[in-house]
PDB file of all heavy atoms in Angstrom:
ATOM      1  N   VAL A   1       1.288   5.426   5.656  1.00  0.00           N
ATOM      2  CA  VAL A   1       0.317   4.972   6.605  1.00  0.00           C
ATOM      3  C   VAL A   1      -0.488   6.331   7.100  1.00  0.00           C
ATOM      4  O   VAL A   1      -1.730   6.347   7.153  1.00  0.00           O
ATOM      5  CB  VAL A   1       0.907   4.330   7.846  1.00  0.00           C
ATOM      6  CG1 VAL A   1      -0.119   4.284   9.083  1.00  0.00           C
ATOM      7  CG2 VAL A   1       1.340   2.924   7.519  1.00  0.00           C
ATOM      8  N   ASN A   2       0.198   7.378   7.415  1.00  0.00           N
ATOM      9  CA  ASN A   2      -0.436   8.659   7.678  1.00  0.00           C
ATOM     10  C   ASN A   2      -1.221   9.233   6.643  1.00  0.00           C
ATOM     11  O   ASN A   2      -2.321   9.820   6.861  1.00  0.00           O
ATOM     12  CB  ASN A   2       0.685   9.706   8.164  1.00  0.00           C
ATOM     13  CG  ASN A   2       1.345   9.304   9.477  1.00  0.00           C
ATOM     14  OD1 ASN A   2       0.866   8.487  10.264  1.00  0.00           O
ATOM     15  ND2 ASN A   2       2.587   9.836   9.664  1.00  0.00           N
ATOM     16  N   LYS A   3      -0.743   9.064   5.440  1.00  0.00           N
ATOM     17  CA  LYS A   3      -1.523   9.660   4.286  1.00  0.00           C
ATOM     18  C   LYS A   3      -2.827   8.864   4.135  1.00  0.00           C
ATOM     19  O   LYS A   3      -3.949   9.485   3.920  1.00  0.00           O
ATOM     20  CB  LYS A   3      -0.770   9.460   2.961  1.00  0.00           C
ATOM     21  CG  LYS A   3      -1.457   9.832   1.683  1.00  0.00           C
ATOM     22  CD  LYS A   3      -1.841   8.569   0.972  1.00  0.00           C
ATOM     23  CE  LYS A   3      -2.636   8.912  -0.346  1.00  0.00           C
ATOM     24  NZ  LYS A   3      -4.063   8.843  -0.287  1.00  0.00           N
ATOM     25  N   LEU A   4      -2.850   7.532   4.252  1.00  0.00           N
ATOM     26  CA  LEU A   4      -3.998   6.743   4.098  1.00  0.00           C
ATOM     27  C   LEU A   4      -5.000   7.078   5.257  1.00  0.00           C
ATOM     28  O   LEU A   4      -6.243   7.066   4.939  1.00  0.00           O
ATOM     29  CB  LEU A   4      -3.663   5.299   4.100  1.00  0.00           C
ATOM     30  CG  LEU A   4      -2.930   4.823   2.848  1.00  0.00           C
ATOM     31  CD1 LEU A   4      -2.237   3.447   3.114  1.00  0.00           C
ATOM     32  CD2 LEU A   4      -3.864   4.715   1.712  1.00  0.00           C
ATOM     33  N   LYS A   5      -4.508   7.302   6.435  1.00  0.00           N
ATOM     34  CA  LYS A   5      -5.440   7.644   7.605  1.00  0.00           C
ATOM     35  C   LYS A   5      -6.026   8.999   7.382  1.00  0.00           C
ATOM     36  O   LYS A   5      -7.194   9.219   7.496  1.00  0.00           O
ATOM     37  CB  LYS A   5      -4.652   7.570   8.876  1.00  0.00           C
ATOM     38  CG  LYS A   5      -5.511   7.850  10.070  1.00  0.00           C
ATOM     39  CD  LYS A   5      -4.781   7.703  11.368  1.00  0.00           C
ATOM     40  CE  LYS A   5      -5.582   8.175  12.556  1.00  0.00           C
ATOM     41  NZ  LYS A   5      -6.999   7.510  12.576  1.00  0.00           N
ATOM     42  N   ASN A   6      -5.169   9.957   7.039  1.00  0.00           N
ATOM     43  CA  ASN A   6      -5.586  11.388   6.990  1.00  0.00           C
ATOM     44  C   ASN A   6      -6.438  11.700   5.762  1.00  0.00           C
ATOM     45  O   ASN A   6      -7.444  12.474   5.846  1.00  0.00           O
ATOM     46  CB  ASN A   6      -4.395  12.312   7.034  1.00  0.00           C
ATOM     47  CG  ASN A   6      -3.619  12.267   8.397  1.00  0.00           C
ATOM     48  OD1 ASN A   6      -4.193  11.897   9.417  1.00  0.00           O
ATOM     49  ND2 ASN A   6      -2.294  12.537   8.362  1.00  0.00           N
ATOM     50  N   GLU A   7      -6.127  11.104   4.576  1.00  0.00           N
ATOM     51  CA  GLU A   7      -6.813  11.422   3.380  1.00  0.00           C
ATOM     52  C   GLU A   7      -7.897  10.399   3.081  1.00  0.00           C
ATOM     53  O   GLU A   7      -8.910  10.844   2.405  1.00  0.00           O
ATOM     54  CB  GLU A   7      -5.815  11.518   2.189  1.00  0.00           C
ATOM     55  CG  GLU A   7      -4.834  12.627   2.340  1.00  0.00           C
ATOM     56  CD  GLU A   7      -3.956  12.768   1.020  1.00  0.00           C
ATOM     57  OE1 GLU A   7      -4.117  11.963   0.203  1.00  0.00           O
ATOM     58  OE2 GLU A   7      -3.115  13.759   1.020  1.00  0.00           O
ATOM     59  N   ASN A   8      -7.720   9.188   3.513  1.00  0.00           N
ATOM     60  CA  ASN A   8      -8.641   8.173   3.051  1.00  0.00           C
ATOM     61  C   ASN A   8      -9.480   7.482   4.220  1.00  0.00           C
ATOM     62  O   ASN A   8     -10.278   6.650   3.918  1.00  0.00           O
ATOM     63  CB  ASN A   8      -7.986   7.080   2.293  1.00  0.00           C
ATOM     64  CG  ASN A   8      -7.149   7.581   1.139  1.00  0.00           C
ATOM     65  OD1 ASN A   8      -5.945   7.812   1.253  1.00  0.00           O
ATOM     66  ND2 ASN A   8      -7.807   8.034   0.047  1.00  0.00           N
ATOM     67  N   ASN A   9      -9.113   7.914   5.438  1.00  0.00           N
ATOM     68  CA  ASN A   9      -9.755   7.365   6.640  1.00  0.00           C
ATOM     69  C   ASN A   9      -9.566   5.834   6.668  1.00  0.00           C
ATOM     70  O   ASN A   9     -10.512   5.110   7.057  1.00  0.00           O
ATOM     71  CB  ASN A   9     -11.245   7.756   6.644  1.00  0.00           C
ATOM     72  CG  ASN A   9     -11.768   7.542   8.051  1.00  0.00           C
ATOM     73  OD1 ASN A   9     -11.082   7.623   9.060  1.00  0.00           O
ATOM     74  ND2 ASN A   9     -13.139   7.262   8.142  1.00  0.00           N
ATOM     75  N   LEU A  10      -8.491   5.307   6.293  1.00  0.00           N
ATOM     76  CA  LEU A  10      -8.117   3.877   6.300  1.00  0.00           C
ATOM     77  C   LEU A  10      -6.999   3.659   7.146  1.00  0.00           C
ATOM     78  O   LEU A  10      -5.925   4.268   7.122  1.00  0.00           O
ATOM     79  CB  LEU A  10      -7.827   3.430   4.827  1.00  0.00           C
ATOM     80  CG  LEU A  10      -8.998   3.406   3.860  1.00  0.00           C
ATOM     81  CD1 LEU A  10      -8.541   3.191   2.434  1.00  0.00           C
ATOM     82  CD2 LEU A  10     -10.045   2.298   4.215  1.00  0.00           C
ATOM     83  N   GLU A  11      -7.085   2.686   8.132  1.00  0.00           N
ATOM     84  CA  GLU A  11      -6.082   2.386   9.060  1.00  0.00           C
ATOM     85  C   GLU A  11      -5.225   1.184   8.529  1.00  0.00           C
ATOM     86  O   GLU A  11      -5.687   0.054   8.306  1.00  0.00           O
ATOM     87  CB  GLU A  11      -6.759   1.939  10.348  1.00  0.00           C
ATOM     88  CG  GLU A  11      -7.425   3.073  11.032  1.00  0.00           C
ATOM     89  CD  GLU A  11      -6.727   3.973  11.857  1.00  0.00           C
ATOM     90  OE1 GLU A  11      -5.516   3.801  12.045  1.00  0.00           O
ATOM     91  OE2 GLU A  11      -7.284   4.915  12.524  1.00  0.00           O
ATOM     92  N   TYR A  12      -3.911   1.390   8.437  1.00  0.00           N
ATOM     93  CA  TYR A  12      -2.945   0.397   8.111  1.00  0.00           C
ATOM     94  C   TYR A  12      -1.729   0.496   9.061  1.00  0.00           C
ATOM     95  O   TYR A  12      -1.485   1.562   9.709  1.00  0.00           O
ATOM     96  CB  TYR A  12      -2.426   0.589   6.631  1.00  0.00           C
ATOM     97  CG  TYR A  12      -3.458   0.198   5.566  1.00  0.00           C
ATOM     98  CD1 TYR A  12      -4.297   1.145   5.033  1.00  0.00           C
ATOM     99  CD2 TYR A  12      -3.593  -1.105   5.133  1.00  0.00           C
ATOM    100  CE1 TYR A  12      -5.244   0.753   4.092  1.00  0.00           C
ATOM    101  CE2 TYR A  12      -4.526  -1.473   4.249  1.00  0.00           C
ATOM    102  CZ  TYR A  12      -5.301  -0.485   3.646  1.00  0.00           C
ATOM    103  OH  TYR A  12      -6.263  -0.851   2.678  1.00  0.00           O
ATOM    104  N   THR A  13      -0.973  -0.584   9.115  1.00  0.00           N
ATOM    105  CA  THR A  13       0.243  -0.569   9.863  1.00  0.00           C
ATOM    106  C   THR A  13       1.366  -0.546   8.833  1.00  0.00           C
ATOM    107  O   THR A  13       1.146  -1.003   7.657  1.00  0.00           O
ATOM    108  CB  THR A  13       0.415  -1.812  10.758  1.00  0.00           C
ATOM    109  OG1 THR A  13       0.351  -2.980  10.018  1.00  0.00           O
ATOM    110  CG2 THR A  13      -0.688  -1.789  11.824  1.00  0.00           C
ATOM    111  N   THR A  14       2.617  -0.249   9.224  1.00  0.00           N
ATOM    112  CA  THR A  14       3.735  -0.058   8.341  1.00  0.00           C
ATOM    113  C   THR A  14       4.055  -1.377   7.675  1.00  0.00           C
ATOM    114  O   THR A  14       4.575  -1.493   6.526  1.00  0.00           O
ATOM    115  CB  THR A  14       4.923   0.502   8.986  1.00  0.00           C
ATOM    116  OG1 THR A  14       5.317  -0.336  10.144  1.00  0.00           O
ATOM    117  CG2 THR A  14       4.693   1.871   9.378  1.00  0.00           C
ATOM    118  N   ASP A  15       3.843  -2.633   8.361  1.00  0.00           N
ATOM    119  CA  ASP A  15       4.190  -3.845   7.786  1.00  0.00           C
ATOM    120  C   ASP A  15       3.084  -4.294   6.692  1.00  0.00           C
ATOM    121  O   ASP A  15       3.262  -5.254   6.089  1.00  0.00           O
ATOM    122  CB  ASP A  15       4.304  -4.904   8.752  1.00  0.00           C
ATOM    123  CG  ASP A  15       3.172  -5.044   9.747  1.00  0.00           C
ATOM    124  OD1 ASP A  15       2.155  -4.334   9.609  1.00  0.00           O
ATOM    125  OD2 ASP A  15       3.252  -5.916  10.603  1.00  0.00           O
ATOM    126  N   GLN A  16       2.050  -3.473   6.462  1.00  0.00           N
ATOM    127  CA  GLN A  16       1.133  -3.703   5.522  1.00  0.00           C
ATOM    128  C   GLN A  16       1.462  -2.891   4.211  1.00  0.00           C
ATOM    129  O   GLN A  16       0.675  -2.979   3.215  1.00  0.00           O
ATOM    130  CB  GLN A  16      -0.268  -3.416   5.973  1.00  0.00           C
ATOM    131  CG  GLN A  16      -0.874  -4.326   6.982  1.00  0.00           C
ATOM    132  CD  GLN A  16      -2.268  -3.919   7.389  1.00  0.00           C
ATOM    133  OE1 GLN A  16      -2.414  -3.083   8.280  1.00  0.00           O
ATOM    134  NE2 GLN A  16      -3.241  -4.568   6.850  1.00  0.00           N
ATOM    135  N   ILE A  17       2.436  -2.097   4.245  1.00  0.00           N
ATOM    136  CA  ILE A  17       2.938  -1.280   3.158  1.00  0.00           C
ATOM    137  C   ILE A  17       4.157  -1.755   2.529  1.00  0.00           C
ATOM    138  O   ILE A  17       5.132  -2.083   3.200  1.00  0.00           O
ATOM    139  CB  ILE A  17       3.217   0.230   3.661  1.00  0.00           C
ATOM    140  CG1 ILE A  17       2.036   0.739   4.512  1.00  0.00           C
ATOM    141  CG2 ILE A  17       3.528   1.049   2.466  1.00  0.00           C
ATOM    142  CD1 ILE A  17       0.726   0.901   3.783  1.00  0.00           C
ATOM    143  N   ILE A  18       4.120  -2.019   1.136  1.00  0.00           N
ATOM    144  CA  ILE A  18       5.315  -2.461   0.420  1.00  0.00           C
ATOM    145  C   ILE A  18       5.608  -1.370  -0.636  1.00  0.00           C
ATOM    146  O   ILE A  18       4.749  -1.163  -1.497  1.00  0.00           O
ATOM    147  CB  ILE A  18       5.150  -3.748  -0.236  1.00  0.00           C
ATOM    148  CG1 ILE A  18       4.721  -4.837   0.847  1.00  0.00           C
ATOM    149  CG2 ILE A  18       6.446  -4.214  -0.964  1.00  0.00           C
ATOM    150  CD1 ILE A  18       5.740  -5.162   1.877  1.00  0.00           C
ATOM    151  N   VAL A  19       6.781  -0.697  -0.516  1.00  0.00           N
ATOM    152  CA  VAL A  19       7.128   0.286  -1.528  1.00  0.00           C
ATOM    153  C   VAL A  19       7.905  -0.395  -2.626  1.00  0.00           C
ATOM    154  O   VAL A  19       8.827  -1.240  -2.438  1.00  0.00           O
ATOM    155  CB  VAL A  19       7.959   1.398  -0.805  1.00  0.00           C
ATOM    156  CG1 VAL A  19       8.327   2.465  -1.870  1.00  0.00           C
ATOM    157  CG2 VAL A  19       7.232   1.985   0.315  1.00  0.00           C
ATOM    158  N   SER A  20       7.570  -0.070  -3.878  1.00  0.00           N
ATOM    159  CA  SER A  20       8.198  -0.704  -5.045  1.00  0.00           C
ATOM    160  C   SER A  20       8.670   0.223  -6.018  1.00  0.00           C
ATOM    161  O   SER A  20       8.578   1.448  -5.911  1.00  0.00           O
ATOM    162  CB  SER A  20       7.129  -1.618  -5.703  1.00  0.00           C
ATOM    163  OG  SER A  20       6.643  -2.617  -4.809  1.00  0.00           O
ATOM    164  N   ASN A  21       9.311  -0.309  -7.066  1.00  0.00           N
ATOM    165  CA  ASN A  21       9.904   0.598  -8.120  1.00  0.00           C
ATOM    166  C   ASN A  21       8.754   0.971  -9.168  1.00  0.00           C
ATOM    167  O   ASN A  21       8.701   0.588 -10.217  1.00  0.00           O
ATOM    168  CB  ASN A  21      10.971  -0.230  -8.900  1.00  0.00           C
ATOM    169  CG  ASN A  21      12.110  -0.658  -8.036  1.00  0.00           C
ATOM    170  OD1 ASN A  21      12.973   0.111  -7.752  1.00  0.00           O
ATOM    171  ND2 ASN A  21      11.994  -1.909  -7.468  1.00  0.00           N
ATOM    172  N   GLY A  22       7.906   1.907  -8.630  1.00  0.00           N
ATOM    173  CA  GLY A  22       6.809   2.417  -9.403  1.00  0.00           C
ATOM    174  C   GLY A  22       5.589   1.595  -9.098  1.00  0.00           C
ATOM    175  O   GLY A  22       5.577   0.433  -8.745  1.00  0.00           O
ATOM    176  N   ALA A  23       4.431   2.176  -9.267  1.00  0.00           N
ATOM    177  CA  ALA A  23       3.147   1.552  -9.059  1.00  0.00           C
ATOM    178  C   ALA A  23       2.871   0.389 -10.082  1.00  0.00           C
ATOM    179  O   ALA A  23       2.155  -0.569  -9.761  1.00  0.00           O
ATOM    180  CB  ALA A  23       1.972   2.590  -9.228  1.00  0.00           C
ATOM    181  N   LYS A  24       3.597   0.430 -11.144  1.00  0.00           N
ATOM    182  CA  LYS A  24       3.517  -0.620 -12.176  1.00  0.00           C
ATOM    183  C   LYS A  24       4.039  -1.887 -11.567  1.00  0.00           C
ATOM    184  O   LYS A  24       3.378  -2.979 -11.693  1.00  0.00           O
ATOM    185  CB  LYS A  24       4.255  -0.284 -13.422  1.00  0.00           C
ATOM    186  CG  LYS A  24       4.094  -1.162 -14.593  1.00  0.00           C
ATOM    187  CD  LYS A  24       4.723  -0.637 -15.797  1.00  0.00           C
ATOM    188  CE  LYS A  24       4.219  -1.240 -17.139  1.00  0.00           C
ATOM    189  NZ  LYS A  24       4.763  -0.557 -18.351  1.00  0.00           N
ATOM    190  N   GLN A  25       5.149  -1.867 -10.883  1.00  0.00           N
ATOM    191  CA  GLN A  25       5.664  -3.120 -10.111  1.00  0.00           C
ATOM    192  C   GLN A  25       4.688  -3.471  -9.030  1.00  0.00           C
ATOM    193  O   GLN A  25       4.491  -4.695  -8.818  1.00  0.00           O
ATOM    194  CB  GLN A  25       7.004  -2.807  -9.645  1.00  0.00           C
ATOM    195  CG  GLN A  25       7.629  -4.137  -8.962  1.00  0.00           C
ATOM    196  CD  GLN A  25       8.969  -3.959  -8.388  1.00  0.00           C
ATOM    197  OE1 GLN A  25       9.406  -2.942  -8.057  1.00  0.00           O
ATOM    198  NE2 GLN A  25       9.635  -5.065  -8.145  1.00  0.00           N
ATOM    199  N   SER A  26       4.051  -2.503  -8.411  1.00  0.00           N
ATOM    200  CA  SER A  26       3.155  -2.858  -7.277  1.00  0.00           C
ATOM    201  C   SER A  26       2.012  -3.625  -7.847  1.00  0.00           C
ATOM    202  O   SER A  26       1.601  -4.616  -7.151  1.00  0.00           O
ATOM    203  CB  SER A  26       2.691  -1.514  -6.655  1.00  0.00           C
ATOM    204  OG  SER A  26       3.724  -0.789  -6.127  1.00  0.00           O
ATOM    205  N   VAL A  27       1.450  -3.301  -8.955  1.00  0.00           N
ATOM    206  CA  VAL A  27       0.377  -3.958  -9.537  1.00  0.00           C
ATOM    207  C   VAL A  27       0.835  -5.415  -9.803  1.00  0.00           C
ATOM    208  O   VAL A  27       0.134  -6.331  -9.557  1.00  0.00           O
ATOM    209  CB  VAL A  27      -0.223  -3.296 -10.806  1.00  0.00           C
ATOM    210  CG1 VAL A  27      -1.231  -4.137 -11.511  1.00  0.00           C
ATOM    211  CG2 VAL A  27      -0.830  -1.983 -10.447  1.00  0.00           C
ATOM    212  N   CYS A  28       1.981  -5.492 -10.487  1.00  0.00           N
ATOM    213  CA  CYS A  28       2.479  -6.791 -10.896  1.00  0.00           C
ATOM    214  C   CYS A  28       2.790  -7.671  -9.773  1.00  0.00           C
ATOM    215  O   CYS A  28       2.446  -8.833  -9.738  1.00  0.00           O
ATOM    216  CB  CYS A  28       3.733  -6.591 -11.839  1.00  0.00           C
ATOM    217  SG  CYS A  28       4.104  -8.053 -12.777  1.00  0.00           S
ATOM    218  N   ASN A  29       3.393  -7.141  -8.658  1.00  0.00           N
ATOM    219  CA  ASN A  29       3.635  -7.803  -7.468  1.00  0.00           C
ATOM    220  C   ASN A  29       2.325  -8.560  -6.936  1.00  0.00           C
ATOM    221  O   ASN A  29       2.313  -9.726  -6.533  1.00  0.00           O
ATOM    222  CB  ASN A  29       4.221  -6.949  -6.374  1.00  0.00           C
ATOM    223  CG  ASN A  29       5.708  -6.725  -6.481  1.00  0.00           C
ATOM    224  OD1 ASN A  29       6.361  -7.297  -7.280  1.00  0.00           O
ATOM    225  ND2 ASN A  29       6.199  -5.766  -5.697  1.00  0.00           N
ATOM    226  N   ALA A  30       1.265  -7.710  -6.886  1.00  0.00           N
ATOM    227  CA  ALA A  30      -0.054  -8.257  -6.300  1.00  0.00           C
ATOM    228  C   ALA A  30      -0.581  -9.302  -7.115  1.00  0.00           C
ATOM    229  O   ALA A  30      -1.105 -10.296  -6.677  1.00  0.00           O
ATOM    230  CB  ALA A  30      -1.039  -7.067  -6.108  1.00  0.00           C
ATOM    231  N   ILE A  31      -0.513  -9.150  -8.477  1.00  0.00           N
ATOM    232  CA  ILE A  31      -1.046 -10.152  -9.404  1.00  0.00           C
ATOM    233  C   ILE A  31      -0.251 -11.484  -9.292  1.00  0.00           C
ATOM    234  O   ILE A  31      -0.773 -12.599  -9.135  1.00  0.00           O
ATOM    235  CB  ILE A  31      -0.981  -9.670 -10.849  1.00  0.00           C
ATOM    236  CG1 ILE A  31      -2.097  -8.564 -11.046  1.00  0.00           C
ATOM    237  CG2 ILE A  31      -1.303 -10.793 -11.796  1.00  0.00           C
ATOM    238  CD1 ILE A  31      -1.968  -7.871 -12.353  1.00  0.00           C
ATOM    239  N   MET A  32       1.138 -11.343  -9.268  1.00  0.00           N
ATOM    240  CA  MET A  32       1.986 -12.466  -9.162  1.00  0.00           C
ATOM    241  C   MET A  32       1.823 -13.232  -7.812  1.00  0.00           C
ATOM    242  O   MET A  32       2.057 -14.412  -7.675  1.00  0.00           O
ATOM    243  CB  MET A  32       3.386 -12.151  -9.294  1.00  0.00           C
ATOM    244  CG  MET A  32       3.774 -11.530 -10.721  1.00  0.00           C
ATOM    245  SD  MET A  32       3.554 -12.764 -12.072  1.00  0.00           S
ATOM    246  CE  MET A  32       5.041 -13.717 -11.876  1.00  0.00           C
ATOM    247  N   ALA A  33       1.520 -12.483  -6.747  1.00  0.00           N
ATOM    248  CA  ALA A  33       1.322 -13.050  -5.456  1.00  0.00           C
ATOM    249  C   ALA A  33       0.035 -13.863  -5.329  1.00  0.00           C
ATOM    250  O   ALA A  33      -0.073 -14.698  -4.513  1.00  0.00           O
ATOM    251  CB  ALA A  33       1.406 -11.961  -4.383  1.00  0.00           C
ATOM    252  N   LEU A  34      -0.992 -13.460  -6.024  1.00  0.00           N
ATOM    253  CA  LEU A  34      -2.362 -14.077  -5.898  1.00  0.00           C
ATOM    254  C   LEU A  34      -2.802 -14.877  -6.996  1.00  0.00           C
ATOM    255  O   LEU A  34      -3.628 -15.870  -6.732  1.00  0.00           O
ATOM    256  CB  LEU A  34      -3.347 -12.920  -5.617  1.00  0.00           C
ATOM    257  CG  LEU A  34      -3.275 -12.246  -4.276  1.00  0.00           C
ATOM    258  CD1 LEU A  34      -4.130 -10.951  -4.266  1.00  0.00           C
ATOM    259  CD2 LEU A  34      -3.801 -13.120  -3.237  1.00  0.00           C
TER     260      LEU A  34
END
């Protein structure tokens, strides 16, 4: 959350962050969810 705010000027809360087993799983999670 701090990285996104400081480097990207984007505001998120911790419950909007899901950490996964690599960004590959993150992409797949999002596709499977939508």
Side-chain angles (χ1 to χ4, degrees):
V1 165
N2 291 339
K3 175 257 182 265
L4 290 164
K5 179 174 175 54
N6 297 332
E7 293 186 357
N8 308 101
N9 198 29
L10 291 169
E11 298 272 0
Y12 288 93
T13 58
T14 54
D15 56 359
Q16 292 179 278
I17 309 298
I18 305 295
V19 183
S20 301
N21 298 278
K24 193 170 193 173
Q25 184 183 17
S26 298
V27 173
C28 197
N29 279 350
I31 291 171
M32 296 295 283
L34 285 166

